[in-house]
Amino acid sequence: MLTKRIIPCLDVKDGRTVKGVNFVDLRDAGDPVELAWQYSRQGADELVFLDITATHERRKTTVELVKAVARQVNIPFTIGGGINELGDADVLLHSGADKISINSAAVRNPMLIDQLAKAFGIQFVVVAVDTRHVVGKNYVHLNGGRLKTEIETADWIKEAESRGAGEILLTSMDHDGTKNGFDCEFLKEINDSLSIPLIASGGAGNKQHFVDVFQQSNVDAALAASVFHYGEILIPDLKDMLRKQGISVR
Protein backbone atom coordinates (compact mmCIF):
# COMPACT_ATOMS: atom_id res chain seq x y z
CA MET A 1 0.00 0.00 0.00
CA LEU A 2 1.28 3.47 -0.86
CA THR A 3 2.08 5.65 2.12
CA LYS A 4 -0.31 8.52 2.80
CA ARG A 5 1.10 12.04 2.90
CA ILE A 6 0.52 14.76 5.48
CA ILE A 7 0.83 18.23 3.97
CA PRO A 8 0.72 21.52 5.85
CA CYS A 9 -0.58 24.38 3.72
CA LEU A 10 0.60 27.94 4.12
CA ASP A 11 -1.77 30.52 2.70
CA VAL A 12 0.37 33.61 2.21
CA LYS A 13 -0.82 37.21 1.99
CA ASP A 14 1.52 40.22 2.09
CA GLY A 15 4.41 37.95 3.09
CA ARG A 16 2.63 36.46 6.12
CA THR A 17 0.83 33.17 6.68
CA VAL A 18 -2.90 33.74 7.18
CA LYS A 19 -5.92 31.55 7.88
CA GLY A 20 -9.65 32.15 7.71
CA VAL A 21 -12.98 30.31 7.72
CA ASN A 22 -14.73 29.53 4.42
CA PHE A 23 -12.05 31.67 2.70
CA VAL A 24 -12.87 34.88 4.64
CA ASP A 25 -12.03 36.58 7.99
CA LEU A 26 -8.28 36.04 7.60
CA ARG A 27 -6.01 36.24 10.65
CA ASP A 28 -2.24 36.11 11.00
CA ALA A 29 -0.65 32.71 11.58
CA GLY A 30 3.06 33.50 11.45
CA ASP A 31 6.11 33.81 9.24
CA PRO A 32 5.90 31.35 6.32
CA VAL A 33 9.64 30.64 6.21
CA GLU A 34 9.77 29.92 9.95
CA LEU A 35 6.70 27.67 9.71
CA ALA A 36 8.17 25.83 6.74
CA TRP A 37 11.33 25.09 8.73
CA GLN A 38 9.27 23.83 11.68
CA TYR A 39 7.16 21.53 9.50
CA SER A 40 10.22 20.13 7.77
CA ARG A 41 11.68 19.32 11.20
CA GLN A 42 8.39 17.80 12.44
CA GLY A 43 8.19 15.27 9.64
CA ALA A 44 5.73 16.79 7.18
CA ASP A 45 5.89 14.93 3.88
CA GLU A 46 5.46 18.00 1.71
CA LEU A 47 4.48 21.66 1.96
CA VAL A 48 2.07 23.72 -0.11
CA PHE A 49 2.35 27.50 -0.37
CA LEU A 50 -0.53 29.42 -1.87
CA ASP A 51 -0.25 33.13 -2.52
CA ILE A 52 -3.98 33.51 -2.00
CA THR A 53 -4.48 37.03 -3.34
CA ALA A 54 -2.07 36.93 -6.29
CA THR A 55 -4.77 36.16 -8.87
CA HIS A 56 -7.31 38.53 -7.35
CA GLU A 57 -4.71 41.33 -7.21
CA ARG A 58 -3.37 40.42 -10.68
CA ARG A 59 0.25 39.96 -9.63
CA LYS A 60 2.91 37.27 -9.53
CA THR A 61 3.89 35.05 -6.61
CA THR A 62 6.82 36.37 -4.56
CA VAL A 63 9.98 34.76 -5.93
CA GLU A 64 12.06 35.82 -2.91
CA LEU A 65 9.73 33.87 -0.61
CA VAL A 66 10.23 30.74 -2.72
CA LYS A 67 14.01 31.12 -2.53
CA ALA A 68 13.89 31.66 1.24
CA VAL A 69 11.77 28.56 1.78
CA ALA A 70 13.98 26.45 -0.50
CA ARG A 71 16.96 27.31 1.68
CA GLN A 72 15.15 26.13 4.83
CA VAL A 73 13.46 22.86 3.91
CA ASN A 74 14.53 19.43 2.68
CA ILE A 75 11.07 18.19 1.68
CA PRO A 76 9.16 18.85 -1.56
CA PHE A 77 7.16 22.01 -1.72
CA THR A 78 4.52 23.24 -4.11
CA ILE A 79 3.87 26.91 -4.82
CA GLY A 80 0.73 28.44 -6.31
CA GLY A 81 -0.83 31.80 -6.95
CA GLY A 82 -0.63 34.11 -9.94
CA ILE A 83 0.87 31.53 -12.32
CA ASN A 84 -0.58 32.36 -15.74
CA GLU A 85 2.05 31.23 -18.23
CA LEU A 86 5.06 28.98 -18.73
CA GLY A 87 7.48 31.73 -17.78
CA ASP A 88 5.89 32.14 -14.35
CA ALA A 89 6.29 28.44 -13.61
CA ASP A 90 9.83 28.37 -14.95
CA VAL A 91 10.92 31.16 -12.59
CA LEU A 92 9.40 29.44 -9.56
CA LEU A 93 10.85 26.01 -10.35
CA HIS A 94 14.28 27.55 -10.88
CA SER A 95 13.91 29.43 -7.59
CA GLY A 96 13.59 26.15 -5.70
CA ALA A 97 9.95 25.03 -5.86
CA ASP A 98 9.46 21.33 -6.57
CA LYS A 99 5.96 21.64 -8.07
CA ILE A 100 3.67 24.43 -9.15
CA SER A 101 -0.04 24.71 -8.47
CA ILE A 102 -2.48 26.36 -10.87
CA ASN A 103 -6.12 27.09 -10.19
CA SER A 104 -8.02 30.03 -11.73
CA ALA A 105 -5.61 30.40 -14.66
CA ALA A 106 -6.15 26.75 -15.65
CA VAL A 107 -9.91 27.13 -15.73
CA ARG A 108 -9.67 30.28 -17.84
CA ASN A 109 -7.07 28.71 -20.14
CA PRO A 110 -7.18 24.90 -19.92
CA MET A 111 -4.38 24.61 -22.49
CA LEU A 112 -2.05 25.93 -19.77
CA ILE A 113 -2.19 22.47 -18.16
CA ASP A 114 -1.11 20.82 -21.43
CA GLN A 115 1.69 23.35 -21.90
CA LEU A 116 3.06 22.98 -18.37
CA ALA A 117 2.90 19.18 -18.47
CA LYS A 118 4.71 19.11 -21.80
CA ALA A 119 7.37 21.62 -20.72
CA PHE A 120 8.13 20.32 -17.23
CA GLY A 121 6.49 16.89 -16.90
CA ILE A 122 3.19 15.97 -15.29
CA GLN A 123 4.84 15.33 -11.92
CA PHE A 124 5.41 19.08 -11.58
CA VAL A 125 1.81 20.13 -12.27
CA VAL A 126 -0.74 20.28 -9.46
CA VAL A 127 -4.20 21.53 -10.40
CA ALA A 128 -5.91 23.07 -7.38
CA VAL A 129 -9.70 23.17 -7.38
CA ASP A 130 -11.88 25.19 -5.00
CA THR A 131 -15.35 23.68 -4.85
CA ARG A 132 -18.61 24.71 -3.21
CA HIS A 133 -21.92 22.86 -2.96
CA VAL A 134 -24.69 24.91 -4.58
CA VAL A 135 -28.25 23.59 -4.88
CA GLY A 136 -27.33 19.93 -5.00
CA LYS A 137 -24.20 20.20 -7.17
CA ASN A 138 -20.51 21.03 -6.68
CA TYR A 139 -19.20 23.95 -8.72
CA VAL A 140 -15.69 25.26 -9.36
CA HIS A 141 -14.93 28.67 -7.83
CA LEU A 142 -12.16 31.04 -8.93
CA ASN A 143 -10.10 33.97 -7.59
CA GLY A 144 -9.60 32.52 -4.12
CA GLY A 145 -13.20 31.33 -3.99
CA ARG A 146 -14.69 34.72 -4.82
CA LEU A 147 -16.16 33.84 -8.21
CA LYS A 148 -18.58 30.96 -8.89
CA THR A 149 -18.44 29.33 -12.32
CA GLU A 150 -21.03 27.14 -14.05
CA ILE A 151 -18.46 24.34 -14.32
CA GLU A 152 -19.24 21.22 -12.30
CA THR A 153 -16.27 20.19 -10.20
CA ALA A 154 -16.18 16.52 -11.20
CA ASP A 155 -16.21 17.42 -14.92
CA TRP A 156 -13.38 19.91 -14.55
CA ILE A 157 -11.20 17.51 -12.55
CA LYS A 158 -11.54 14.82 -15.23
CA GLU A 159 -10.59 17.34 -17.90
CA ALA A 160 -7.58 18.51 -15.86
CA GLU A 161 -6.41 14.91 -15.54
CA SER A 162 -6.82 14.31 -19.27
CA ARG A 163 -4.74 17.41 -20.06
CA GLY A 164 -1.77 16.33 -17.95
CA ALA A 165 -2.35 17.27 -14.32
CA GLY A 166 -0.09 15.16 -12.11
CA GLU A 167 -2.14 15.70 -8.95
CA ILE A 168 -5.40 17.31 -7.91
CA LEU A 169 -5.64 19.45 -4.77
CA LEU A 170 -9.34 19.63 -3.95
CA THR A 171 -10.50 22.14 -1.35
CA SER A 172 -14.06 22.09 -0.06
CA MET A 173 -14.96 25.72 0.59
CA ASP A 174 -17.94 24.60 2.68
CA HIS A 175 -15.63 22.71 5.04
CA ASP A 176 -12.61 25.04 4.90
CA GLY A 177 -11.63 26.37 8.34
CA THR A 178 -14.69 24.88 10.06
CA LYS A 179 -12.69 22.06 11.74
CA ASN A 180 -15.72 19.80 11.32
CA GLY A 181 -13.95 17.21 9.16
CA PHE A 182 -13.21 16.67 5.49
CA ASP A 183 -15.92 16.21 2.85
CA CYS A 184 -15.22 12.47 2.75
CA GLU A 185 -18.22 11.51 0.63
CA PHE A 186 -17.42 13.90 -2.21
CA LEU A 187 -13.69 13.18 -1.97
CA LYS A 188 -14.38 9.46 -2.36
CA GLU A 189 -16.57 10.13 -5.41
CA ILE A 190 -13.78 12.14 -7.03
CA ASN A 191 -10.97 9.81 -5.97
CA ASP A 192 -12.76 6.76 -7.38
CA SER A 193 -12.88 8.49 -10.78
CA LEU A 194 -9.18 9.41 -10.90
CA SER A 195 -5.97 7.59 -11.75
CA ILE A 196 -3.74 10.39 -10.40
CA PRO A 197 -3.22 11.33 -6.73
CA LEU A 198 -5.88 13.37 -4.93
CA ILE A 199 -5.01 15.71 -2.05
CA ALA A 200 -7.90 16.41 0.34
CA SER A 201 -8.22 19.92 1.73
CA GLY A 202 -10.72 21.73 3.92
CA GLY A 203 -12.13 20.82 7.32
CA ALA A 204 -9.40 19.21 9.42
CA GLY A 205 -10.07 19.84 13.11
CA ASN A 206 -8.58 16.87 14.94
CA LYS A 207 -6.52 13.74 14.34
CA GLN A 208 -9.59 11.55 13.85
CA HIS A 209 -10.56 13.63 10.82
CA PHE A 210 -7.36 12.49 9.09
CA VAL A 211 -8.11 8.86 9.95
CA ASP A 212 -11.62 9.32 8.54
CA VAL A 213 -10.53 10.88 5.26
CA PHE A 214 -7.95 8.17 4.56
CA GLN A 215 -10.23 5.30 5.56
CA GLN A 216 -13.43 6.60 3.97
CA SER A 217 -12.18 8.20 0.76
CA ASN A 218 -8.74 6.60 0.28
CA VAL A 219 -7.18 9.89 -0.88
CA ASP A 220 -3.41 9.97 -1.32
CA ALA A 221 -2.76 12.95 0.92
CA ALA A 222 -4.47 15.21 3.43
CA LEU A 223 -3.71 18.88 3.71
CA ALA A 224 -4.44 21.21 6.61
CA ALA A 225 -3.46 24.64 7.84
CA SER A 226 -4.67 26.17 11.11
CA VAL A 227 -4.56 22.96 13.20
CA PHE A 228 -0.84 22.77 12.38
CA HIS A 229 -0.08 26.51 12.50
CA TYR A 230 -1.53 26.97 15.99
CA GLY A 231 -0.10 23.74 17.41
CA GLU A 232 -3.45 22.00 17.86
CA ILE A 233 -2.07 18.93 16.06
CA LEU A 234 1.60 17.99 16.00
CA ILE A 235 2.61 16.00 12.94
CA PRO A 236 4.54 13.27 14.85
CA ASP A 237 1.48 12.66 17.06
CA LEU A 238 -0.79 12.55 14.02
CA LYS A 239 1.41 10.02 12.24
CA ASP A 240 1.55 7.85 15.37
CA MET A 241 -2.25 7.76 15.49
CA LEU A 242 -2.52 6.97 11.77
CA ARG A 243 -0.08 4.05 12.14
CA LYS A 244 -2.12 2.68 15.05
CA GLN A 245 -5.17 2.74 12.78
CA GLY A 246 -3.32 0.69 10.15
CA ILE A 247 -2.75 3.64 7.81
CA SER A 248 0.68 3.58 6.19
CA VAL A 249 2.66 6.82 6.60
CA ARG A 250 6.33 7.72 6.21
Side-chain angles (χ1 to χ4, degrees):
M1 186 172 81
L2 288 174
T3 56
K4 304 299 188 184
R5 290 172 288 152
I6 301 298
I7 305 177
C9 179
L10 293 96
D11 293 328
V12 178
K13 182 178 189 289
D14 302 327
R16 297 290 292 178
T17 306
V18 295
K19 189 59 197 151
V21 177
N22 304 130
F23 283 42
V24 295
D25 298 328
L26 301 177
R27 61 182 175 133
D28 190 90
D31 175 65
V33 179
E34 173 67 22
L35 285 169
W37 179 79
Q38 289 179 21
Y39 292 140
S40 181
R41 291 278 304 271
Q42 273 191 40
D45 297 300
E46 296 184 20
L47 296 170
V48 169
F49 287 76
L50 299 177
D51 190 332
I52 60 172
T53 56
T55 296
H56 181 62
E57 295 171 0
R58 294 188 173 86
R59 60 176 172 74
K60 307 299 185 188
T61 297
T62 308
V63 171
E64 291 310 312
L65 173 65
V66 177
K67 290 179 178 177
V69 171
R71 287 192 292 267
Q72 291 290 337
V73 305
N74 58 2
I75 55 176
F77 77 98
T78 300
I79 190 103
I83 299 168
N84 298 300
E85 57 192 23
L86 285 180
D88 299 334
D90 190 53
V91 167
L92 295 172
L93 291 169
H94 278 94
S95 298
D98 296 280
K99 306 177 200 175
I100 51 96
S101 169
I102 51 174
N103 188 331
S104 301
V107 177
R108 295 193 173 103
N109 174 23
M111 279 295 294
L112 181 62
I113 303 172
D114 305 69
Q115 293 164 357
L116 289 167
K118 184 177 180 182
F120 304 110
I122 65 170
Q123 70 272 23
F124 293 103
V125 184
V126 179
V127 174
V129 182
D130 297 328
T131 185
R132 176 167 264 162
H133 201 69
V134 182
V135 197
K137 293 182 178 179
N138 275 279
Y139 290 98
V140 174
H141 285 62
L142 307 182
N143 290 25
R146 295 172 181 83
L147 180 66
K148 177 184 174 292
T149 71
E150 294 304 313
I151 303 167
E152 289 194 39
T153 303
D155 295 339
W156 169 237
I157 288 174
K158 287 302 292 180
E159 180 177 349
E161 179 184 28
S162 72
R163 287 181 175 276
E167 288 185 283
I168 301 293
L169 167 55
L170 180 59
T171 300
S172 166
M173 293 176 61
D174 301 302
H175 289 243
D176 179 74
T178 64
K179 299 186 180 180
N180 291 327
F182 294 93
D183 189 351
C184 295
E185 185 177 347
F186 186 57
L187 286 161
K188 178 173 174 26
E189 177 189 325
I190 295 297
N191 195 50
D192 287 350
S193 73
L194 286 174
S195 58
I196 57 174
L198 178 64
I199 304 168
S201 169
N206 57 51
K207 288 179 282 189
Q208 185 61 43
H209 291 153
F210 288 87
V211 174
D212 293 342
V213 77
F214 288 131
Q215 289 183 340
Q216 295 174 25
S217 62
N218 197 33
V219 293
D220 297 85
L223 176 148
S226 58
V227 290
F228 295 143
H229 301 339
Y230 301 120
E232 295 161 42
I233 297 176
L234 297 177
I235 291 170
D237 296 345
L238 172 58
K239 287 193 169 185
D240 283 344
M241 180 170 180
L242 292 170
R243 288 187 192 101
K244 288 172 183 172
Q245 296 292 326
I247 297 164
S248 179
V249 291
R250 293 170 187 165

